[in-house]
Amino acid sequence: MTRPSSRTRPPQRRGPRGFVRDNGLGLFFLGAFLLSLVGQAIAGHADFNDQMAVDGLQRISLGAYVTSSDFAVDVSENWQSEYLQFFLYIGATVWLLQRGSPESKELHKAGGESDEDQMVGAYAKDGSPRWARSGGWRRTLYSQSLLLVMGTVFLLSWLVQSITGVAACNEQRLRQLQSPLSWPDYLGAAEFWSRTLQNWQSELLAVASMAVLSIYLRQRGSPESKPVGAAHDATGVEG
């Protein structure tokens, strides 16, 4: 009977601890998102009922609030600004550079880069995704898939914000005995653009701050920072 080689080891089963370790970053932010969403629902419900009391109207339950247009517009306006931030960041960093920032590519790599650099087609590796090894529209689509998904989520979130926003706005207008607005009228209204731009400016400032401050400041062990001893003008280097 042939014994297995001492070098051959059976595949190890990863338990719950291994899953949590391998997915810790995503799980942490997903959990933080859910907690903040619950907190927003509770605080928003209390604030909404305070407004209803001021108007002399009946309070509503938490369940009614989280299924209302008021809650939906508050959530969707934040989502669309976040995905706009990532959409612009992903697209801009293909071509735009920032000397000394780990958020930028190296200064000679502006653009879509070569097939060899991107490991597609004939330069694909054993572990490369199937569509990276293929050609034609599959490779083209996969090469732009991250930007396309971020842009699609942004547009859908913005659409939801506009639809739920006009509903929430008209509920308030009716309580004040004002005539409702149509959806096209709401898209040109100051309230819609105030909701939109107050989120855009904060997201864009945060990205600009990260790109510039990471030139000079460090966080040991973070891939979003250069190594602590890296030169200020070292570009595209991550810790």
Side-chain angles (χ1 to χ4, degrees):
M1 176 174 155
T2 303
R3 295 183 178 181
S5 171
S6 58
R7 296 181 180 180
T8 303
R9 296 181 179 178
Q12 297 180 350
R13 296 182 179 180
R14 294 190 301 177
R17 290 185 180 180
F19 175 81
V20 172
R21 181 197 61 193
D22 292 349
N23 299 278
L25 188 61
L27 291 172
F28 171 77
F29 279 103
L30 179 60
F33 158 72
L34 293 175
L35 288 174
S36 62
L37 187 63
V38 171
Q40 179 186 352
I42 295 172
H45 173 242
D47 180 60
F48 181 83
N49 276 336
D50 287 344
Q51 295 178 18
M52 296 291 282
V54 170
D55 294 337
L57 299 174
Q58 184 178 2
R59 295 172 177 265
I60 65 173
S61 66
L62 179 61
Y65 174 72
V66 297
T67 56
S68 70
S69 57
D70 291 86
F71 181 68
V73 68
D74 289 341
V75 171
S76 58
E77 76 177 48
N78 288 300
W79 287 16
Q80 60 88 4
S81 64
E82 295 292 346
Y83 280 96
L84 173 67
Q85 173 193 160
F86 285 115
F87 173 76
L88 293 177
Y89 179 76
I90 294 166
T93 51
V94 175
W95 295 98
L96 303 181
L97 306 170
Q98 180 63 56
R99 179 183 293 274
S101 177
E103 302 299 318
S104 168
K105 295 193 295 184
E106 296 177 49
L107 299 179
H108 64 281
K109 290 187 176 181
E113 303 182 10
S114 66
D115 287 354
E116 183 176 5
D117 289 334
Q118 290 293 306
M119 297 181 290
V120 297
Y123 300 98
K125 308 298 182 182
D126 291 339
S128 297
R130 181 183 304 174
W131 281 25
R133 296 195 297 268
S134 65
W137 68 269
R138 290 181 177 84
R139 187 199 305 172
T140 301
L141 180 62
Y142 190 67
S143 297
Q144 311 294 330
S145 57
L146 183 58
L147 191 67
L148 289 171
V149 169
M150 291 295 182
T152 299
V153 176
F154 158 64
L155 291 175
L156 290 176
S157 300
W158 203 15
L159 176 63
V160 171
Q161 177 196 337
S162 69
I163 294 172
T164 56
V166 69
C169 178
N170 283 336
E171 288 178 4
Q172 184 177 7
R173 290 176 67 88
L174 290 173
R175 290 197 297 268
Q176 298 172 349
L177 303 179
Q178 296 178 322
S179 58
L181 295 175
S182 66
W183 183 60
D185 288 339
Y186 180 72
L187 294 181
E191 178 180 338
F192 174 70
W193 286 103
S194 176
R195 281 182 172 273
T196 295
L197 293 173
Q198 70 178 342
N199 287 286
W200 287 8
Q201 54 87 13
S202 62
E203 302 300 340
L204 297 176
L205 177 62
V207 173
S209 299
M210 184 65 181
V212 175
L213 291 177
S214 59
I215 297 173
Y216 305 103
L217 306 180
R218 308 285 190 269
Q219 179 56 56
R220 184 169 187 155
S222 174
E224 299 304 315
S225 167
K226 293 186 289 188
V228 177
H232 289 326
D233 61 354
T235 306
V237 179
E238 297 179 347

